Amino acid sequence: MKKIICLFCALMLFALDVSNIQPSNNSEEELLEVKENKAVFGEHLFSGNFKQVSKNIYNPDYKVNIADVIDIKIWGAVELSLKAEVDSKGNIFIPQVGVINVLGVNNKDLVKIIQDKVKQIYKDNVFVYANMQTYQEVLVFVSGNVKKPGLYAGLSSDSVIQFIDKAGGINLNYGSFRDINILRNNEIIKELDLYDFLLNGRIENITFRNSDVIFVNSIKSYVSVSGEVYKPYRFELGNDIVSLADIARVANVKPTATTALVKSYDENNKISINTYKKSEFKDVILKSADEIEFNPDFNADKINITINGEHKSLHNMVVSKGTSLQDVLDKLEFTDMSELSSVQLFRKSVSSLQKNLLLASLKELETLALTSTSQTPQEAGIKATWTQNVLAFIDRAKKVQPKGQIVIEDKSLYKDIILEEADVINIPSKNNLVVVSGEIQVPGAFVFLDKYKVKDYIKIAGDFSQRADKNRILIIHLNGKAEQFKGSGFLTNKVKLAKGDSILVLPKIDSYNLQVVSLLSQILYQIAVTTKVVLDI
């Protein structure tokens, strides 16, 4: 009996944990598309716009069918206007003229057939006009690699794109845009290539009949294109796309692209990677499954930098490679308010590195939050709420963009720092303020006083909030250096404040999992140091 009770409790705990996992609504096919993560050229074609439109277009070879409506006008000695519907026997009726059988008559011959019948009654001075008012729909099969194979109704003059659109479009994983067959009586009567429409706007008109079949074949040869192109898609190879020059044209390579990196797979389980210059593109023959990346490959002697802040010089400057921070500062004209002891340097590569490190930590936190186990039903309930809060924090944290500031502890180091393309130099303005933010009652900027310590500024800012962690306080200096201040212990008086510093009070973290608490603390510290912002959890 005890074993049964234990087993029941274990199942209840499992159910509590599993209940917080949201089921996926994605089909296996959608998951495969996400995994591949490769956009397909032409995928925008079948978005439902074509299937909503069906228009009567004059088709001289259309054969009149039952339920068609014919607009007839007779004038001259007799005036008559009517809309005649083809009945179940294939006849129409015209008053004073009688019954006319039009079933199977070609549209181009319709006027003559009716006119001949009318002239049997009215010999002279009678004229006849006839036009198809409503066409009977045809039923066409759409099969092969489409999302919703089936039998679809449409006009005989509708295009193949309209019928495929009604079938949900071509399956992007394995359907071909270049190999489409039209079958009639089990024989292929037309082969279509939609690339002619996508690239040149040309499409062949086909007169469909009942029981025609549109068959979308499987994709055979393709390449994937990325990099400096306007169309980064998966393309199907064909007679017009054979070489690297062809795919460069079709993918609309940007003018900045000078080289192409081609990764090929051969039958001997080997991967070959080669780089080609633009002048060589026409001589490179593509293989199926090639991965092509077009890149800019320029050698620049100069770089462009930005200078913001307190100075009277240009805010954009082009300098030679190898120029140091001190070299640029020597060229600038400063004001009396320029704070040259704490010049700030922001770099894109550093920002990218900080972002990647943050995302890696967030990924680890997400894994811990979703895989941690519960020991009791009560703990499982707490875990469910706590997990949702952590996941919400992760979503917010992913949107944070680090500033990429390089820490320069001493102005004597300016001469050793070599600038890079797109570096941003900021000349701070002299100020006598200290900014206090985070988990305090009244965040704000306060006048710097030599006698004030960290605790004094926190006190005049309304003191700690209820969620403040009094032992996790960061001091961020103008030069980007971060120091940790503890409200108690040997570090209490170790941090010396300066004008322009920021005091950030981090939040207290509540969790039953010490590993998660440690990682969360690290992430909050990362965000605060790289952005000067305290993110709530």
Side-chain angles (χ1 to χ4, degrees), residues 11-81:
L11 290 172
M12 287 295 293
L13 287 172
F14 177 76
L16 285 168
D17 276 340
V18 170
S19 64
N20 295 307
I21 301 175
Q22 297 297 322
S24 173
N25 294 321
N26 293 332
S27 65
E28 183 178 345
E29 179 181 303
E30 288 171 332
L31 290 174
L32 180 59
E33 289 182 12
V34 171
K35 184 177 179 181
E36 289 293 328
N37 196 27
K38 291 178 181 176
V40 176
F41 180 62
E43 64 181 22
H44 62 286
L45 191 60
F46 301 106
S47 56
N49 293 328
F50 289 103
K51 69 180 181 181
Q52 298 172 1
V53 179
S54 191
K55 185 177 180 181
N56 291 332
I57 300 173
Y58 176 72
N59 180 0
D61 297 321
Y62 175 78
K63 295 185 181 300
V64 178
N65 205 346
I66 295 169
D68 284 347
V69 176
I70 304 171
D71 185 11
I72 301 173
K73 291 181 174 58
I74 301 175
W75 71 98
V78 178
E79 298 288 336
L80 182 64
S81 178

Side-chain angles (χ1 to χ4, degrees), residues 369-386:
L370 294 174
T371 58
S372 58
T373 58
S374 307
Q375 303 300 320
T376 66
Q378 293 80 6
E379 188 176 315
I382 295 172
K383 173 185 174 293
T385 302
W386 174 83

Side-chain angles (χ1 to χ4, degrees), residues 142-296:
V142 184
S143 184
N145 297 293
V146 292
K147 293 180 180 178
K148 299 175 183 177
L151 184 63
Y152 294 92
L155 298 178
S156 63
S157 57
D158 284 349
S159 74
V160 67
I161 295 178
Q162 288 172 281
F163 281 106
I164 294 177
D165 201 18
K166 291 176 182 179
I170 293 173
N171 187 300
L172 299 179
N173 284 328
Y174 35 78
S176 173
F177 283 74
R178 310 209 66 171
D179 191 5
I180 300 171
N181 295 334
I182 310 298
L183 293 89
R184 182 171 297 159
N185 298 324
N186 296 324
E187 297 289 337
I188 296 176
I189 63 169
K190 188 69 65 178
E191 296 178 351
L192 295 178
D193 181 352
L194 291 184
Y195 269 36
D196 199 21
F197 177 73
L198 290 166
L199 296 173
N200 307 309
R202 296 192 296 259
I203 188 166
E204 188 172 352
N205 290 325
I206 299 168
T207 302
F208 285 101
R209 297 181 187 174
N210 274 319
S211 300
D212 279 355
V213 177
I214 300 172
F215 189 85
V216 178
N217 289 285
S218 299
I219 186 173
K220 296 180 177 64
S221 300
Y222 65 90
V223 294
S224 300
V225 180
S226 62
E228 291 290 293
V229 293
Y230 292 107
K231 299 176 183 177
Y233 298 119
R234 186 190 75 192
F235 292 88
E236 294 182 54
L237 299 178
N239 294 333
D240 56 341
I241 305 177
V242 176
S243 69
L244 192 54
D246 295 331
I247 199 66
R249 168 181 51 81
V250 172
N252 283 23
V253 170
K254 295 179 181 180
T256 51
T258 59
T259 63
L261 184 147
V262 180
K263 182 188 292 185
S264 298
Y265 303 83
D266 64 24
E267 298 176 354
N268 298 319
N269 300 324
K270 289 185 179 181
I271 299 176
S272 62
I273 302 176
N274 296 288
T275 301
Y276 302 97
K277 295 184 292 187
K278 208 167 189 176
S279 59
E280 301 173 317
F281 286 2
K282 64 180 182 301
D283 300 319
V284 180
I285 304 302
L286 300 175
K287 300 175 184 175
S288 183
D290 278 357
E291 295 176 12
I292 305 161
E293 181 180 352
F294 291 96
N295 297 305

